Amino acid sequence: MHSFLSTSIGDVFVGKSSVLIDLAHFLSENYSNSAKIVLVDSNTIAHCFPILAEAIPELKEVELIEVEPGEGSKDLEICAHIWQTLSELNIDRHAVIINLGGGVVTDLGGFVAAIYKRGVDCINVPTSLLAQVDASVGSKNGIDFMGFKNQLGAFTPPKGVFVCIDFLRTLDKRQLISGMAEVFKHGLIADSAYFNEVVAQLNDIDFEKVVFKSIAIKHQIVTNDPFEKGERKKLNFGHTAGHAIESLSLEKGVELLHGEAIAIGMLIEIELSLLKGLFSVQQQKEVYSLYQSFFPLFAIKESDIEAIIQRSKQDKKNRGEVFQFTLLESIGKAIINQEISNKEYYQAIINYNNQLTL
């Protein structure tokens, strides 16, 4: 049994191993005479590709392009290497690139496909929880540039997304916890009942239901606003601060997973919501209690605060020099285009640090 979503930005299949059979049919119906390339990282080539190839034997013979795991692979030089490889293989515009991996692989592979020969098709087969609920759906792709997160990218949807829940068994606990940041975010911005439901089942999560519900929330928002002119900005809650923290950590050589950075970003942006009089102290305490028990939070060094603020000036929601944050009015209700001053941003980070010591 599996679930299926069909929207204007592509089809999404969610289930267990049967989803890979759906992928086999999809390839046969749409790409029987096309070259197929599978983009992997060193983790997914070892743990996930054998499962995929067992389900779809024809993929045992396809070209594999391997990158290193981690944010460092979302880089223009890596893209150039992949484009060179595709060119040397004489891959034409009728080919399909299958992105087998987490958010880095799906972001990178989507961008590579969008640019190569002005666009070849791609299919996402996300293997991490974070990629399954967020990164692999919604049509955005991108790479980092000049130390800024997702500075280069495009709105180019994959032709299909095939979410096999069984791949979550290949993850360690830290990766699963990181992915839960995006699950919580979907509840915080759009569905308080879903947020409470997930919190209530943390000791025994039904990942198939959770992944499908998160995808459904994101798909509804993206369908209403595919190019991020309005409502879709809600999905960026936690990401203005989170991306800045993530990119600064990468520059310093500190290992920080995307979800870990976004969890901190959400708490900082809750502090901004409080400063603006939008969010209640009671709900602030509820979210802090959950996150402190779940994520590896840490205080922001005062010497790093200005660097985080400066990096956030590259955020794509901003207008000129004015910060425009997505904030919360309550659990389940986000509000976009909230102007924030440098002083307010600085104070919110200080307030976040102070909350960790209470």
Side-chain angles (χ1 to χ4, degrees), residues 7 10 31 51 97 125 140 218 244 278 289 293 316:
T7 76
Y31 301 100
I51 298 171
I97 298 175
V125 185
K140 288 199 296 187
K218 181 169 183 178
L278 299 170
S289 177
S293 68
K316 291 170 284 295

Side-chain angles (χ1 to χ4, degrees), residues 200-219:
Q201 61 169 291
L202 286 179
N203 292 326
D204 187 23
I205 298 173
D206 184 334
F207 280 110
E208 187 170 352
K209 288 183 178 179
V210 165
V211 168
F212 184 77
K213 178 63 175 179
S214 271
I215 289 174
I217 288 172
K218 181 169 183 178
H219 260 293

